[in-house]
């Protein structure tokens, strides 16, 4: 059954902490309400805004999976529950209408999908000696590292939710003579089970058969660089590189090319299973996610769910002003909305033997 999707309500807390003593932070939800700094803290309003923008802008490029989610802004003081609603498609109206007789009205079937938001975050502690002796602008460098961490963390939250979808294909084992052997489980995958052109066309056909809407005219697949290498070797003459796009301005974040009506976005964060969770003899298994529009939803991070926090020397139990810290905090959740609009294709790769850690 295909669904028409409409997101109706998204509710969660907007972050905002009190200021005690010399504690201070930049409120990303509302820069105008950033905590005031005590006299002598050394950070101007301009610097607070700079650090805040640095964190959010640098975290953005890591949000590969999040860019295809249905997103809504985070309302303030709205509780901790997100509610999406999707509508079942109406059946075909094949019964002829009788002249002069009003037919019975159809009823919309609404299916609510709810989720509870969580907070994530981390910080680094800086000593007074580091600040005095470092040749680098230490707060800026710490913010850059934390932004990278924040982006990868937030995107992994989305990835782990959507990778649990119920629709999955396993790439067949292809022998040297071209003979294919069907694979029905992850544990049976070997390095001969690579993602090939035929698997891409099959995935696209399955999404089309479920009436999954496209994203700007095509389906999208998030693929690991190792799997992309195998696919491009098999797709010579059919692969369209982004350099050949007629409109370069429309390139997606991380996009590398198109094949069979599917736009491929490359990410090292594409899910990998190894060891007991991997393929045969522990071979690394890579997940390529094929998605249509409105397959899943998530909270909107920019301007609403991520906060940059700077605490000056002397905060907390620091009588000698030896420690300061820089950190981030984010409120995030993702939810699968229409299972039929996404498909996970699992395969091994030419590089499976060299990958020893899951992500």
């Amino acid at each position: 059954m295909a669904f028409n999707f409409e997101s109706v309500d998204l509710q969660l807390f907007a972050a905002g902490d009190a200021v005690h003593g010399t504690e201070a932070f930049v409120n990303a939800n509302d820069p105008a309400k950033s905590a005031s700094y005590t006299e002598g803290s050394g950070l101007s309003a301009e610097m607070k805004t700079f650090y805040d923008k640095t964190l959010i802008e640098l975290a953005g490029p890591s949000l590969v999976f999040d860019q295809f989610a249905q997103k809504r802004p985070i309302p303030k003081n709205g509780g901790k529950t997100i509610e999406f609603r999707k509508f079942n498609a109406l059946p075909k109206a094949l019964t002829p209408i009788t002249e002069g007789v009003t037919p019975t009205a159809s009823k919309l079937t609404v299916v609510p999908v709810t989720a509870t938001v969580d907070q994530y975050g981390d910080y680094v502690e800086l000593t007074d000696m580091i600040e005095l002796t470092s040749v680098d602008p230490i707060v800026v460098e710490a913010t850059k590292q934390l932004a990278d961490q924040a982006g990868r963390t937030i995107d992994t939250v989305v990835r782990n939710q959507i990778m649990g979808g119920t629709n999955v294909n396993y790439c067949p084992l292809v022998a040297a003579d071209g003979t294919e052997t069907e694979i029905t489980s992850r544990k049976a995958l070997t390095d001969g089970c690579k993602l090939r052109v035929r698997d891409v066309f099959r995935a696209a056909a399955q999404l089309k058969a479920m009436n999954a809407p496209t994203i700007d005219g095509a389906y999208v697949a998030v693929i690991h660089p190792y799997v992309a290498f195998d696919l491009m070797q098999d797709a010579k003459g059919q692969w369209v590189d982004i350099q050949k796009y007629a409109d370069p301005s429309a390139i997606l974040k991380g996009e590398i090319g198109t094949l069979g009506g599917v736009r491929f976005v490359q990410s090292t964060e594409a899910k990998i299973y190894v060891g007991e969770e991997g393929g045969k003899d522990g071979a690394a298994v890579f997940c390529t996610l094929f998605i249509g529009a409105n397959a899943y939803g998530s909270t909107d991070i920019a301007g609403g769910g991520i906060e940059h926090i700077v605490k000056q020397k002397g905060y907390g139990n620091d009588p000698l002003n030896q420690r300061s810290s820089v950190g981030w905090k984010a409120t995030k959740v993702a939810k699968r909305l229409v299972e039929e609009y996404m498909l996970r294709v699992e395969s091994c790769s030419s590089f499976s033997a060299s990958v020893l850690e899951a992500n």
Side-chain angles (χ1 to χ4, degrees):
M1 171 74 70
F3 295 98
N4 293 321
F5 168 83
E6 179 178 325
S7 105
V8 175
D9 261 322
L10 187 155
Q11 298 179 323
L12 53 87
F13 280 128
D17 296 334
V19 179
H20 303 286
T22 57
E23 179 179 344
F25 68 87
V26 176
N27 188 332
N29 301 326
D30 188 350
K33 296 181 180 179
S34 296
S36 58
Y37 285 72
T38 57
E39 184 177 355
S41 67
L43 281 181
S44 66
E46 291 78 11
M47 286 303 294
K48 289 184 288 184
T49 301
F50 169 76
Y51 289 140
D52 179 51
K53 287 183 178 179
T54 298
L55 182 80
I56 293 176
E57 290 175 2
L58 291 179
S62 298
L63 305 180
V64 175
F65 287 96
D66 198 49
Q67 69 178 310
F68 305 115
Q70 273 286 345
K71 292 186 287 292
R72 292 295 181 270
I74 299 173
K76 187 176 180 180
N77 301 326
K80 298 177 65 177
T81 300
I82 302 171
E83 181 178 292
F84 294 100
R85 294 184 182 182
K86 58 186 180 182
F87 292 84
N88 287 356
L90 292 172
K92 296 177 181 179
L94 297 177
T95 303
I97 296 174
T98 303
E99 182 178 353
V101 178
T102 302
T104 302
S106 294
K107 294 182 180 180
L108 293 175
T109 304
V110 182
V111 182
V113 180
T114 60
T116 302
V117 300
D118 290 305
Q119 279 192 328
Y120 304 87
D122 198 5
Y123 71 98
V124 294
E125 194 170 74
L126 309 174
T127 67
D128 55 346
M129 290 301 294
I130 289 178
E131 293 182 39
L132 287 171
T133 60
S134 175
V135 297
D136 299 313
I138 192 65
V139 176
V140 174
E141 292 302 320
T143 298
K144 289 179 180 178
Q145 293 297 320
L146 289 164
D148 175 70
Q149 179 196 44
R152 288 183 290 109
T153 299
I154 293 165
D155 212 42
T156 299
V157 170
V158 178
R159 182 201 70 186
N160 288 349
Q161 166 63 210
I162 59 181
M163 284 298 171
T166 57
N167 296 323
V168 57
N169 290 349
Y170 302 102
C171 289
L173 174 63
V174 180
D177 61 0
T179 304
E180 292 189 4
T181 301
E182 183 182 4
I183 301 296
T184 58
S185 70
R186 182 183 302 156
K187 292 302 295 182
L189 291 168
T190 71
D191 58 7
C193 303
K194 299 181 178 68
L195 183 69
R196 294 175 169 83
V197 172
R198 181 178 178 277
D199 303 309
V200 172
F201 278 83
R202 180 187 179 193
Q206 288 177 256
L207 291 178
K208 289 176 183 176
M210 296 308 302
N211 296 315
T214 59
I215 300 172
D216 295 331
Y219 295 121
V220 173
V222 181
I223 190 171
H224 192 278
Y226 286 165
V227 181
F229 169 83
D230 293 328
L231 179 60
M232 286 187 282
Q233 297 300 305
D234 188 56
K236 292 178 180 178
Q238 299 180 70
W239 180 267
V240 180
D241 197 79
I242 57 173
Q243 280 79 16
K244 297 180 181 178
Y245 283 13
D247 183 10
S249 64
I251 295 174
L252 300 169
K253 184 189 303 179
E255 187 171 2
I256 58 173
T258 304
L259 173 68
V262 179
R263 302 173 69 175
F264 285 85
V265 173
Q266 185 171 258
S267 174
T268 55
E269 295 300 311
K271 182 62 182 174
I272 305 172
Y273 293 98
V274 299
E276 293 184 0
E277 292 187 331
K280 189 174 182 179
D281 299 324
V285 172
F286 300 83
C287 297
T288 303
L289 185 70
F290 291 77
I291 53 178
N294 304 326
Y296 56 96
S298 77
T299 54
D300 191 2
I301 275 294
I306 190 167
E307 179 185 341
H308 181 235
I309 304 166
V310 178
K311 295 187 177 181
Q312 300 299 297
K313 287 181 293 186
Y315 81 90
N317 185 23
D318 186 22
L320 297 182
N321 285 358
Q322 294 174 294
R323 295 182 300 277
S324 61
S325 68
V326 184
W328 66 274
K329 183 171 64 176
T331 306
K332 190 69 176 177
V333 73
K335 191 72 174 180
R336 299 193 306 275
L337 300 175
V338 187
E339 295 284 358
E340 293 85 354
Y341 291 179
M342 68 183 85
L343 172 67
R344 187 175 73 255
V345 178
E346 300 190 5
S347 68
C348 286
S349 163
S350 303
F351 299 88
S352 283
S354 63
V355 177
L356 303 178
E357 293 185 1
N359 62 352

